[in-house]
Amino acid sequence: MSFVPDALALPSYARQTGEACDSCHVGSFGPQLTAHGMKFKLGGYTDSDGKPGHLPLAAMLIANYTHTAQDQDPPPDDFSKNNNVAMQELSGFIAGKLYDHIGTFTQITYSGVDKVTALDNTDIRYARETTLFGQEGTIGVTVNNNPSMQDPFNTLPAWRFPYTSSDLAPGVEAGPLLDDMIAGTVYGITVYSQLANGMYAELGNYASFSNNFLDVINVEQGQEINGLAPYWRVAYFKDNRSASYSVGVHGMSAELKDHGASGAGDKYADYGVDGHYQFLGNRMNIMSVNGSYTHEARDVAAEKSNLNQLNVAGSYYYDKSYGGTLRYFSTTDDSSAKLDSNGWMLQADWTPFGKENSWQAPWANLRLGLQYTIYNKLNGESGSVAGDANTLMGFVWASL
Amino acid sequence: MHAATGKCALLSLLLCLLSSIVTTGAAFAAPAGDAGKGGDVFAQECSDCHSVKPGKNKKGPSLFGVVGRESAVIADFDYSEAMRALKATWSEENLDAYIAKPKAVVAAGKMKYDGLPDAQARADLIAYLASQK
């Protein structure tokens, strides 16, 4: 299957901590984190209410309806040209504290579009509090299979808005290395520290899984990393409980080649800036802005080119339940393919549960939403050709 | 003579008690708290880790009825050894000091909170907590 990078909301963490989903998630549903949730992740998913016997297990389902402005010809495999209903994802999770200082987020997903079950996002980490350079803070190490999924700020590709989108609609084809190009086919080990003075730093390397292992976890082979691919990230993160913000830089570079091929491969080097601001106040009116800009220098098939990707999303949630998000996205590609894209996305959603006094908390979790994507330009095409791909998606997202 | 001495001793005792009350009041010169505003302070500062529902423990213990409660008395909450050793009563004065800078009161406590420096906000919060009983 192709890797499914989106979607999570994990009641097992709520059961482990005794906290409601709204403590860690904006709008009472994952994956957008509050500052409290960011710290839980950095702490290795191990904070708890101190009681034994919490099973680190959860499950999730996403079903959606997809309508495009014009019929798709040919239609997606096993689906109609338009107005498709799909059970897009059914996931099981091992998620929570495994041992002192060790926790995990491990997702196994059945795709109702690809009809395949495979290992999805996986992050196993060790973290502990310590004093470093005279500063109190948290240090940790993460082993994961998707560069940027370990990041806590919802600004980098793995966990930025949109948190779910249709697998049955046309989409932006060009993206940088960091954006899903090698997700699921690699493993990375990075070390990180978050100090009390606000400095967050992370450094590590990624390498490709063997073909045999990819067969075991049922992930489609892509190109493999030649040697190691370095990943780095530095940010300044502050939380005063009424609001939080981060501003940072990130990067990754890799040489990719077909499995078993000899000689030089395709070279990618990503560098970017990103940041977020989140106002929480008394949690009745939550506003956030998240953005990232990534530049990629490419040397692919003996052609040197540059790709730039911009994403900015602003959201507002009332009473931890009613949300609206507006996103602008843009990709410019100066290669001969010229796969430029840009447009807007608007989402409205309702999360009836996930609060401390909610029905069956923290077991029952649900988000209902409508999402509309407008393409001004899509994969180099503009005008009515791009507009034909404008997509309306309605979704039901549940977890327990 | 004895009667006069007795009256004098009683007066001294009363003066001593009055002095003690005044002195205590001067040491804890917190502003008057507004429980309504304190609810917002609780939502912002405490609610991620604490509940005011009876028996509802999160990473921190339930704060229902905390004002006037003995420290570390919730049977099914896993307090730190330092908190168990405190053996104090959560009077408004003690709560004010603890919320202002937790590590100054329980140095080895496990609460991940730097403190609330705003005295008025602390007073509002304590007024709110006092209403949760």
mmCIF file of all heavy atoms in Angstrom, chain A residues 17-20 22-24 34 36 40 47-51 129 240-242 281-283 320 356-357, chain B residues 39-40 43-53 55-59 76-78 110 112-114:
data_model
loop_
_atom_site.group_PDB
_atom_site.id
_atom_site.type_symbol
_atom_site.label_atom_id
_atom_site.label_comp_id
_atom_site.label_asym_id
_atom_site.label_seq_id
_atom_site.Cartn_x
_atom_site.Cartn_y
_atom_site.Cartn_z
ATOM 1 N N THR A 17 -3.493 8.929 31.225
ATOM 2 C CA THR A 17 -3.237 10.129 32.028
ATOM 3 C C THR A 17 -4.413 10.525 32.900
ATOM 4 O O THR A 17 -4.259 11.330 33.824
ATOM 5 C CB THR A 17 -2.920 11.322 31.111
ATOM 6 O OG1 THR A 17 -4.039 11.537 30.243
ATOM 7 C CG2 THR A 17 -1.668 11.072 30.291
ATOM 8 N N GLY A 18 -5.596 9.992 32.598
ATOM 9 C CA GLY A 18 -6.796 10.438 33.302
ATOM 10 C C GLY A 18 -7.314 11.753 32.767
ATOM 11 O O GLY A 18 -8.318 12.280 33.260
ATOM 12 N N GLU A 19 -6.644 12.291 31.766
ATOM 13 C CA GLU A 19 -7.021 13.595 31.217
ATOM 14 C C GLU A 19 -7.994 13.428 30.058
ATOM 15 O O GLU A 19 -8.022 12.397 29.392
ATOM 16 C CB GLU A 19 -5.770 14.338 30.738
ATOM 17 C CG GLU A 19 -4.788 14.613 31.857
ATOM 18 C CD GLU A 19 -3.448 15.122 31.357
ATOM 19 O OE1 GLU A 19 -3.276 15.239 30.119
ATOM 20 O OE2 GLU A 19 -2.589 15.391 32.193
ATOM 21 N N ALA A 20 -8.765 14.466 29.813
ATOM 22 C CA ALA A 20 -9.642 14.452 28.644
ATOM 23 C C ALA A 20 -8.824 14.763 27.396
ATOM 24 O O ALA A 20 -7.727 15.318 27.474
ATOM 25 C CB ALA A 20 -10.750 15.484 28.827
ATOM 26 N N ASP A 22 -9.261 17.001 25.300
ATOM 27 C CA ASP A 22 -9.060 18.434 25.069
ATOM 28 C C ASP A 22 -7.827 18.981 25.779
ATOM 29 O O ASP A 22 -7.387 20.084 25.480
ATOM 30 C CB ASP A 22 -10.303 19.235 25.459
ATOM 31 C CG ASP A 22 -10.627 19.129 26.939
ATOM 32 O OD1 ASP A 22 -9.735 19.246 27.776
ATOM 33 O OD2 ASP A 22 -11.814 18.927 27.268
ATOM 34 N N SER A 23 -7.262 18.241 26.729
ATOM 35 C CA SER A 23 -6.042 18.722 27.380
ATOM 36 C C SER A 23 -4.881 18.756 26.395
ATOM 37 O O SER A 23 -4.081 19.683 26.398
ATOM 38 C CB SER A 23 -5.662 17.828 28.566
ATOM 39 O OG SER A 23 -6.591 17.950 29.605
ATOM 40 N N CYS A 24 -4.813 17.743 25.555
ATOM 41 C CA CYS A 24 -3.673 17.613 24.641
ATOM 42 C C CYS A 24 -3.992 18.020 23.211
ATOM 43 O O CYS A 24 -3.067 18.207 22.411
ATOM 44 C CB CYS A 24 -3.164 16.171 24.641
ATOM 45 S SG CYS A 24 -2.260 15.724 26.136
ATOM 46 N N THR A 34 -2.098 20.797 21.713
ATOM 47 C CA THR A 34 -1.885 21.967 22.561
ATOM 48 C C THR A 34 -0.447 21.893 23.088
ATOM 49 O O THR A 34 0.240 20.870 22.914
ATOM 50 C CB THR A 34 -2.850 21.951 23.753
ATOM 51 O OG1 THR A 34 -2.552 20.773 24.542
ATOM 52 C CG2 THR A 34 -4.302 21.892 23.301
ATOM 53 N N HIS A 36 0.385 21.469 26.051
ATOM 54 C CA HIS A 36 0.388 20.349 26.997
ATOM 55 C C HIS A 36 0.605 19.029 26.259
ATOM 56 O O HIS A 36 1.376 18.161 26.715
ATOM 57 C CB HIS A 36 -0.955 20.333 27.741
ATOM 58 C CG HIS A 36 -1.026 19.344 28.863
ATOM 59 N ND1 HIS A 36 -0.347 19.498 30.044
ATOM 60 C CD2 HIS A 36 -1.714 18.177 28.979
ATOM 61 C CE1 HIS A 36 -0.606 18.477 30.841
ATOM 62 N NE2 HIS A 36 -1.432 17.662 30.217
ATOM 63 N N PHE A 40 3.678 16.224 26.361
ATOM 64 C CA PHE A 40 3.424 14.792 26.576
ATOM 65 C C PHE A 40 4.190 13.969 25.539
ATOM 66 O O PHE A 40 4.805 12.942 25.860
ATOM 67 C CB PHE A 40 1.916 14.525 26.469
ATOM 68 C CG PHE A 40 1.550 13.069 26.532
ATOM 69 C CD1 PHE A 40 1.533 12.394 27.743
ATOM 70 C CD2 PHE A 40 1.231 12.364 25.381
ATOM 71 C CE1 PHE A 40 1.201 11.043 27.799
ATOM 72 C CE2 PHE A 40 0.900 11.013 25.426
ATOM 73 C CZ PHE A 40 0.880 10.353 26.645
ATOM 74 N N ASP A 47 3.724 10.038 30.542
ATOM 75 C CA ASP A 47 3.011 10.616 31.683
ATOM 76 C C ASP A 47 1.757 9.806 31.966
ATOM 77 O O ASP A 47 1.073 9.365 31.041
ATOM 78 C CB ASP A 47 2.598 12.060 31.376
ATOM 79 C CG ASP A 47 3.764 13.021 31.516
ATOM 80 O OD1 ASP A 47 4.772 12.639 32.136
ATOM 81 O OD2 ASP A 47 3.656 14.148 30.999
ATOM 82 N N SER A 48 1.437 9.649 33.246
ATOM 83 C CA SER A 48 0.239 8.872 33.576
ATOM 84 C C SER A 48 -0.346 9.355 34.893
ATOM 85 O O SER A 48 0.228 10.200 35.579
ATOM 86 C CB SER A 48 0.582 7.384 33.674
ATOM 87 O OG SER A 48 1.166 7.096 34.926
ATOM 88 N N ASP A 49 -1.497 8.776 35.229
ATOM 89 C CA ASP A 49 -2.112 9.114 36.514
ATOM 90 C C ASP A 49 -1.531 8.273 37.646
ATOM 91 O O ASP A 49 -2.004 8.332 38.775
ATOM 92 C CB ASP A 49 -3.638 8.942 36.441
ATOM 93 C CG ASP A 49 -4.058 7.511 36.119
ATOM 94 O OD1 ASP A 49 -3.174 6.626 36.020
ATOM 95 O OD2 ASP A 49 -5.272 7.266 35.973
ATOM 96 N N GLY A 50 -0.517 7.483 37.330
ATOM 97 C CA GLY A 50 0.173 6.707 38.358
ATOM 98 C C GLY A 50 -0.456 5.369 38.656
ATOM 99 O O GLY A 50 0.096 4.575 39.419
ATOM 100 N N LYS A 51 -1.613 5.102 38.059
ATOM 101 C CA LYS A 51 -2.287 3.830 38.341
ATOM 102 C C LYS A 51 -1.793 2.763 37.376
ATOM 103 O O LYS A 51 -1.548 3.041 36.203
ATOM 104 C CB LYS A 51 -3.804 3.985 38.198
ATOM 105 C CG LYS A 51 -4.400 4.920 39.231
ATOM 106 C CD LYS A 51 -5.888 5.096 39.001
ATOM 107 C CE LYS A 51 -6.468 6.078 40.012
ATOM 108 N NZ LYS A 51 -7.859 6.456 39.699
ATOM 109 N N GLU A 129 13.664 13.452 32.170
ATOM 110 C CA GLU A 129 13.997 14.812 32.574
ATOM 111 C C GLU A 129 15.411 14.826 33.125
ATOM 112 O O GLU A 129 15.847 13.888 33.786
ATOM 113 C CB GLU A 129 13.000 15.293 33.625
ATOM 114 C CG GLU A 129 11.592 15.455 33.058
ATOM 115 C CD GLU A 129 10.580 15.776 34.122
ATOM 116 O OE1 GLU A 129 10.969 16.138 35.244
ATOM 117 O OE2 GLU A 129 9.382 15.647 33.828
ATOM 118 N N ASN A 240 3.175 29.736 27.884
ATOM 119 C CA ASN A 240 2.814 30.406 29.142
ATOM 120 C C ASN A 240 1.400 30.025 29.583
ATOM 121 O O ASN A 240 0.792 30.726 30.389
ATOM 122 C CB ASN A 240 2.977 31.927 29.024
ATOM 123 C CG ASN A 240 1.968 32.558 28.087
ATOM 124 O OD1 ASN A 240 1.017 31.903 27.655
ATOM 125 N ND2 ASN A 240 2.151 33.816 27.767
ATOM 126 N N ARG A 241 0.886 28.933 29.058
ATOM 127 C CA ARG A 241 -0.411 28.336 29.380
ATOM 128 C C ARG A 241 -1.592 29.112 28.797
ATOM 129 O O ARG A 241 -2.587 28.528 28.440
ATOM 130 C CB ARG A 241 -0.602 28.160 30.893
ATOM 131 C CG ARG A 241 0.387 27.144 31.429
ATOM 132 C CD ARG A 241 0.237 26.884 32.900
ATOM 133 N NE ARG A 241 1.290 25.974 33.334
ATOM 134 C CZ ARG A 241 1.190 24.661 33.318
ATOM 135 N NH1 ARG A 241 0.070 24.096 32.922
ATOM 136 N NH2 ARG A 241 2.193 23.914 33.711
ATOM 137 N N SER A 242 -1.486 30.408 28.699
ATOM 138 C CA SER A 242 -2.519 31.155 27.995
ATOM 139 C C SER A 242 -2.292 31.075 26.492
ATOM 140 O O SER A 242 -3.234 31.084 25.700
ATOM 141 C CB SER A 242 -2.496 32.616 28.450
ATOM 142 O OG SER A 242 -3.412 33.361 27.704
ATOM 143 N N GLY A 281 -6.096 30.680 26.246
ATOM 144 C CA GLY A 281 -6.880 31.377 27.264
ATOM 145 C C GLY A 281 -7.582 30.409 28.199
ATOM 146 O O GLY A 281 -6.978 29.455 28.697
ATOM 147 N N ASN A 282 -8.882 30.649 28.423
ATOM 148 C CA ASN A 282 -9.635 29.733 29.302
ATOM 149 C C ASN A 282 -10.226 28.554 28.530
ATOM 150 O O ASN A 282 -11.111 27.863 29.013
ATOM 151 C CB ASN A 282 -10.742 30.472 30.046
ATOM 152 C CG ASN A 282 -11.820 30.997 29.117
ATOM 153 O OD1 ASN A 282 -11.771 30.798 27.900
ATOM 154 N ND2 ASN A 282 -12.786 31.691 29.680
ATOM 155 N N ARG A 283 -9.730 28.345 27.326
ATOM 156 C CA ARG A 283 -10.060 27.191 26.465
ATOM 157 C C ARG A 283 -11.425 27.319 25.800
ATOM 158 O O ARG A 283 -11.864 26.386 25.122
ATOM 159 C CB ARG A 283 -10.007 25.872 27.232
ATOM 160 C CG ARG A 283 -8.616 25.237 27.359
ATOM 161 C CD ARG A 283 -7.583 26.109 27.979
ATOM 162 N NE ARG A 283 -6.322 25.383 28.203
ATOM 163 C CZ ARG A 283 -5.202 25.952 28.584
ATOM 164 N NH1 ARG A 283 -5.134 27.269 28.771
ATOM 165 N NH2 ARG A 283 -4.105 25.238 28.757
ATOM 166 N N LYS A 320 -14.251 24.144 22.582
ATOM 167 C CA LYS A 320 -13.525 22.880 22.381
ATOM 168 C C LYS A 320 -14.285 21.933 21.453
ATOM 169 O O LYS A 320 -14.015 20.726 21.438
ATOM 170 C CB LYS A 320 -13.283 22.170 23.726
ATOM 171 C CG LYS A 320 -12.621 23.007 24.796
ATOM 172 C CD LYS A 320 -12.544 22.230 26.105
ATOM 173 C CE LYS A 320 -12.012 23.081 27.237
ATOM 174 N NZ LYS A 320 -11.988 22.357 28.511
ATOM 175 N N GLU A 356 -14.006 16.533 29.533
ATOM 176 C CA GLU A 356 -14.010 15.788 30.797
ATOM 177 C C GLU A 356 -15.395 15.235 31.141
ATOM 178 O O GLU A 356 -15.512 14.123 31.654
ATOM 179 C CB GLU A 356 -13.495 16.684 31.927
ATOM 180 C CG GLU A 356 -13.372 15.971 33.259
ATOM 181 C CD GLU A 356 -12.806 16.869 34.343
ATOM 182 O OE1 GLU A 356 -11.826 17.574 34.077
ATOM 183 O OE2 GLU A 356 -13.374 16.875 35.455
ATOM 184 N N ASN A 357 -16.419 16.012 30.844
ATOM 185 C CA ASN A 357 -17.769 15.589 31.215
ATOM 186 C C ASN A 357 -18.532 14.986 30.049
ATOM 187 O O ASN A 357 -19.755 14.832 30.125
ATOM 188 C CB ASN A 357 -18.540 16.789 31.780
ATOM 189 C CG ASN A 357 -17.912 17.286 33.073
ATOM 190 O OD1 ASN A 357 -17.543 16.494 33.937
ATOM 191 N ND2 ASN A 357 -17.761 18.591 33.202
ATOM 192 N N GLY B 39 -12.335 30.685 38.110
ATOM 193 C CA GLY B 39 -12.677 29.570 37.234
ATOM 194 C C GLY B 39 -11.893 29.624 35.936
ATOM 195 O O GLY B 39 -11.438 28.595 35.419
ATOM 196 N N ASP B 40 -11.731 30.845 35.410
ATOM 197 C CA ASP B 40 -10.928 30.997 34.183
ATOM 198 C C ASP B 40 -9.455 30.707 34.458
ATOM 199 O O ASP B 40 -8.765 30.112 33.626
ATOM 200 C CB ASP B 40 -11.068 32.425 33.629
ATOM 201 C CG ASP B 40 -12.420 32.634 32.962
ATOM 202 O OD1 ASP B 40 -13.098 31.626 32.664
ATOM 203 O OD2 ASP B 40 -12.792 33.802 32.746
ATOM 204 N N ALA B 43 -9.090 27.023 34.536
ATOM 205 C CA ALA B 43 -9.123 26.445 33.185
ATOM 206 C C ALA B 43 -7.783 26.638 32.480
ATOM 207 O O ALA B 43 -7.308 25.750 31.771
ATOM 208 C CB ALA B 43 -10.243 27.089 32.376
ATOM 209 N N GLN B 44 -7.192 27.787 32.692
ATOM 210 C CA GLN B 44 -5.942 28.103 31.998
ATOM 211 C C GLN B 44 -4.737 27.435 32.638
ATOM 212 O O GLN B 44 -3.859 26.914 31.938
ATOM 213 C CB GLN B 44 -5.745 29.620 31.989
ATOM 214 C CG GLN B 44 -4.455 30.088 31.352
ATOM 215 C CD GLN B 44 -4.391 31.600 31.295
ATOM 216 O OE1 GLN B 44 -5.229 32.240 30.669
ATOM 217 N NE2 GLN B 44 -3.405 32.182 31.962
ATOM 218 N N GLU B 45 -4.681 27.436 33.952
ATOM 219 C CA GLU B 45 -3.451 27.029 34.635
ATOM 220 C C GLU B 45 -3.461 25.574 35.133
ATOM 221 O O GLU B 45 -2.396 24.974 35.266
ATOM 222 C CB GLU B 45 -3.193 27.951 35.840
ATOM 223 C CG GLU B 45 -3.050 29.421 35.490
ATOM 224 C CD GLU B 45 -1.747 29.728 34.775
ATOM 225 O OE1 GLU B 45 -0.740 29.057 35.054
ATOM 226 O OE2 GLU B 45 -1.744 30.645 33.921
ATOM 227 N N CYS B 46 -4.647 25.065 35.456
ATOM 228 C CA CYS B 46 -4.689 23.802 36.216
ATOM 229 C C CYS B 46 -5.426 22.660 35.526
ATOM 230 O O CYS B 46 -5.153 21.483 35.813
ATOM 231 C CB CYS B 46 -5.377 24.031 37.573
ATOM 232 S SG CYS B 46 -4.866 25.514 38.449
ATOM 233 N N SER B 47 -6.389 23.003 34.654
ATOM 234 C CA SER B 47 -7.365 21.987 34.235
ATOM 235 C C SER B 47 -6.762 20.882 33.365
ATOM 236 O O SER B 47 -7.381 19.818 33.241
ATOM 237 C CB SER B 47 -8.532 22.644 33.492
ATOM 238 O OG SER B 47 -8.076 23.242 32.289
ATOM 239 N N ASP B 48 -5.619 21.121 32.739
ATOM 240 C CA ASP B 48 -5.015 20.038 31.962
ATOM 241 C C ASP B 48 -4.700 18.841 32.863
ATOM 242 O O ASP B 48 -4.832 17.694 32.446
ATOM 243 C CB ASP B 48 -3.724 20.516 31.286
ATOM 244 C CG ASP B 48 -3.999 21.454 30.127
ATOM 245 O OD1 ASP B 48 -5.118 21.416 29.587
ATOM 246 O OD2 ASP B 48 -3.100 22.224 29.767
ATOM 247 N N CYS B 49 -4.262 19.109 34.082
ATOM 248 C CA CYS B 49 -3.777 18.041 34.965
ATOM 249 C C CYS B 49 -4.670 17.784 36.184
ATOM 250 O O CYS B 49 -4.441 16.798 36.902
ATOM 251 C CB CYS B 49 -2.370 18.355 35.469
ATOM 252 S SG CYS B 49 -1.145 18.505 34.157
ATOM 253 N N HIS B 50 -5.610 18.685 36.463
ATOM 254 C CA HIS B 50 -6.451 18.534 37.656
ATOM 255 C C HIS B 50 -7.924 18.689 37.302
ATOM 256 O O HIS B 50 -8.282 19.443 36.399
ATOM 257 C CB HIS B 50 -6.116 19.611 38.701
ATOM 258 C CG HIS B 50 -4.766 19.470 39.334
ATOM 259 N ND1 HIS B 50 -4.509 18.584 40.354
ATOM 260 C CD2 HIS B 50 -3.596 20.116 39.084
ATOM 261 C CE1 HIS B 50 -3.230 18.691 40.721
ATOM 262 N NE2 HIS B 50 -2.648 19.612 39.956
ATOM 263 N N SER B 51 -8.752 18.020 38.070
ATOM 264 C CA SER B 51 -10.198 18.169 37.951
ATOM 265 C C SER B 51 -10.739 18.676 39.289
ATOM 266 O O SER B 51 -10.117 18.475 40.329
ATOM 267 C CB SER B 51 -10.829 16.819 37.619
ATOM 268 O OG SER B 51 -12.241 16.894 37.684
ATOM 269 N N VAL B 52 -11.916 19.307 39.248
ATOM 270 C CA VAL B 52 -12.586 19.652 40.507
ATOM 271 C C VAL B 52 -13.770 18.712 40.759
ATOM 272 O O VAL B 52 -14.574 18.951 41.658
ATOM 273 C CB VAL B 52 -13.070 21.126 40.521
ATOM 274 C CG1 VAL B 52 -11.882 22.070 40.616
ATOM 275 C CG2 VAL B 52 -13.936 21.439 39.311
ATOM 276 N N LYS B 53 -13.847 17.643 39.952
ATOM 277 C CA LYS B 53 -14.876 16.635 40.220
ATOM 278 C C LYS B 53 -14.414 15.737 41.376
ATOM 279 O O LYS B 53 -13.245 15.330 41.414
ATOM 280 C CB LYS B 53 -15.105 15.765 38.984
ATOM 281 C CG LYS B 53 -15.851 16.477 37.877
ATOM 282 C CD LYS B 53 -15.874 15.650 36.629
ATOM 283 C CE LYS B 53 -16.725 14.412 36.772
ATOM 284 N NZ LYS B 53 -16.836 13.674 35.484
ATOM 285 N N GLY B 55 -13.258 12.750 43.326
ATOM 286 C CA GLY B 55 -12.724 11.437 42.959
ATOM 287 C C GLY B 55 -12.089 11.356 41.597
ATOM 288 O O GLY B 55 -11.620 10.289 41.197
ATOM 289 N N LYS B 56 -12.069 12.463 40.826
ATOM 290 C CA LYS B 56 -11.511 12.438 39.470
ATOM 291 C C LYS B 56 -10.039 12.872 39.511
ATOM 292 O O LYS B 56 -9.735 14.059 39.575
ATOM 293 C CB LYS B 56 -12.310 13.371 38.555
ATOM 294 C CG LYS B 56 -11.738 13.528 37.144
ATOM 295 C CD LYS B 56 -11.688 12.222 36.397
ATOM 296 C CE LYS B 56 -11.113 12.416 34.992
ATOM 297 N NZ LYS B 56 -10.867 11.126 34.329
ATOM 298 N N ASN B 57 -9.154 11.893 39.502
ATOM 299 C CA ASN B 57 -7.719 12.184 39.480
ATOM 300 C C ASN B 57 -7.210 12.128 38.049
ATOM 301 O O ASN B 57 -7.600 11.250 37.277
ATOM 302 C CB ASN B 57 -6.943 11.172 40.321
ATOM 303 C CG ASN B 57 -7.374 11.185 41.765
ATOM 304 O OD1 ASN B 57 -7.654 12.247 42.318
ATOM 305 N ND2 ASN B 57 -7.430 10.024 42.386
ATOM 306 N N LYS B 58 -6.347 13.039 37.705
ATOM 307 C CA LYS B 58 -5.655 12.996 36.409
ATOM 308 C C LYS B 58 -4.181 12.761 36.726
ATOM 309 O O LYS B 58 -3.853 11.939 37.564
ATOM 310 C CB LYS B 58 -5.894 14.302 35.647
ATOM 311 C CG LYS B 58 -7.362 14.613 35.360
ATOM 312 C CD LYS B 58 -7.483 15.888 34.537
ATOM 313 C CE LYS B 58 -8.904 16.205 34.178
ATOM 314 N NZ LYS B 58 -9.009 17.466 33.409
ATOM 315 N N LYS B 59 -3.273 13.505 36.037
ATOM 316 C CA LYS B 59 -1.869 13.419 36.449
ATOM 317 C C LYS B 59 -1.717 14.021 37.833
ATOM 318 O O LYS B 59 -0.806 13.689 38.578
ATOM 319 C CB LYS B 59 -0.973 14.124 35.437
ATOM 320 C CG LYS B 59 -0.726 13.295 34.208
ATOM 321 C CD LYS B 59 0.410 13.812 33.362
ATOM 322 C CE LYS B 59 0.116 15.141 32.740
ATOM 323 N NZ LYS B 59 1.105 15.515 31.721
ATOM 324 N N ASP B 76 -6.308 6.860 46.524
ATOM 325 C CA ASP B 76 -5.939 6.182 45.278
ATOM 326 C C ASP B 76 -5.119 7.066 44.341
ATOM 327 O O ASP B 76 -5.045 6.794 43.149
ATOM 328 C CB ASP B 76 -7.182 5.660 44.560
ATOM 329 C CG ASP B 76 -8.107 6.768 44.122
ATOM 330 O OD1 ASP B 76 -7.950 7.907 44.631
ATOM 331 O OD2 ASP B 76 -8.977 6.530 43.274
ATOM 332 N N PHE B 77 -4.486 8.101 44.894
ATOM 333 C CA PHE B 77 -3.597 8.907 44.045
ATOM 334 C C PHE B 77 -2.143 8.640 44.415
ATOM 335 O O PHE B 77 -1.797 8.518 45.593
ATOM 336 C CB PHE B 77 -3.891 10.409 44.178
ATOM 337 C CG PHE B 77 -3.053 11.223 43.222
ATOM 338 C CD1 PHE B 77 -3.376 11.267 41.875
ATOM 339 C CD2 PHE B 77 -1.902 11.878 43.658
ATOM 340 C CE1 PHE B 77 -2.580 11.957 40.976
ATOM 341 C CE2 PHE B 77 -1.102 12.575 42.765
ATOM 342 C CZ PHE B 77 -1.447 12.613 41.420
ATOM 343 N N ASP B 78 -1.306 8.570 43.404
ATOM 344 C CA ASP B 78 0.104 8.213 43.589
ATOM 345 C C ASP B 78 0.939 9.480 43.841
ATOM 346 O O ASP B 78 1.573 10.009 42.940
ATOM 347 C CB ASP B 78 0.602 7.473 42.339
ATOM 348 C CG ASP B 78 2.042 7.012 42.478
ATOM 349 O OD1 ASP B 78 2.477 6.806 43.628
ATOM 350 O OD2 ASP B 78 2.718 6.866 41.450
ATOM 351 N N LYS B 110 6.473 16.195 42.143
ATOM 352 C CA LYS B 110 6.481 15.826 40.722
ATOM 353 C C LYS B 110 5.597 16.712 39.866
ATOM 354 O O LYS B 110 5.487 16.479 38.669
ATOM 355 C CB LYS B 110 6.088 14.358 40.565
ATOM 356 C CG LYS B 110 4.688 14.007 40.988
ATOM 357 C CD LYS B 110 4.461 12.501 40.794
ATOM 358 C CE LYS B 110 3.050 12.111 41.170
ATOM 359 N NZ LYS B 110 2.821 10.663 41.047
ATOM 360 N N LYS B 112 4.652 19.341 37.408
ATOM 361 C CA LYS B 112 5.413 20.060 36.391
ATOM 362 C C LYS B 112 4.782 21.437 36.181
ATOM 363 O O LYS B 112 4.043 21.671 35.232
ATOM 364 C CB LYS B 112 5.432 19.272 35.085
ATOM 365 C CG LYS B 112 6.134 17.918 35.201
ATOM 366 C CD LYS B 112 5.996 17.114 33.928
ATOM 367 C CE LYS B 112 6.666 15.763 34.075
ATOM 368 N NZ LYS B 112 6.476 14.908 32.887
ATOM 369 N N TYR B 113 5.051 22.321 37.089
ATOM 370 C CA TYR B 113 4.438 23.647 37.019
ATOM 371 C C TYR B 113 5.400 24.639 37.661
ATOM 372 O O TYR B 113 5.820 24.449 38.802
ATOM 373 C CB TYR B 113 3.093 23.630 37.764
ATOM 374 C CG TYR B 113 2.317 24.919 37.679
ATOM 375 C CD1 TYR B 113 1.922 25.419 36.440
ATOM 376 C CD2 TYR B 113 1.975 25.626 38.821
ATOM 377 C CE1 TYR B 113 1.195 26.595 36.359
ATOM 378 C CE2 TYR B 113 1.248 26.799 38.751
ATOM 379 C CZ TYR B 113 0.852 27.285 37.515
ATOM 380 O OH TYR B 113 0.143 28.440 37.435
ATOM 381 N N ASP B 114 5.730 25.697 36.939
ATOM 382 C CA ASP B 114 6.708 26.670 37.444
ATOM 383 C C ASP B 114 6.123 27.599 38.491
ATOM 384 O O ASP B 114 6.857 28.157 39.303
ATOM 385 C CB ASP B 114 7.257 27.507 36.276
ATOM 386 C CG ASP B 114 8.068 26.648 35.329
ATOM 387 O OD1 ASP B 114 8.597 25.620 35.788
ATOM 388 O OD2 ASP B 114 8.153 26.995 34.144
#
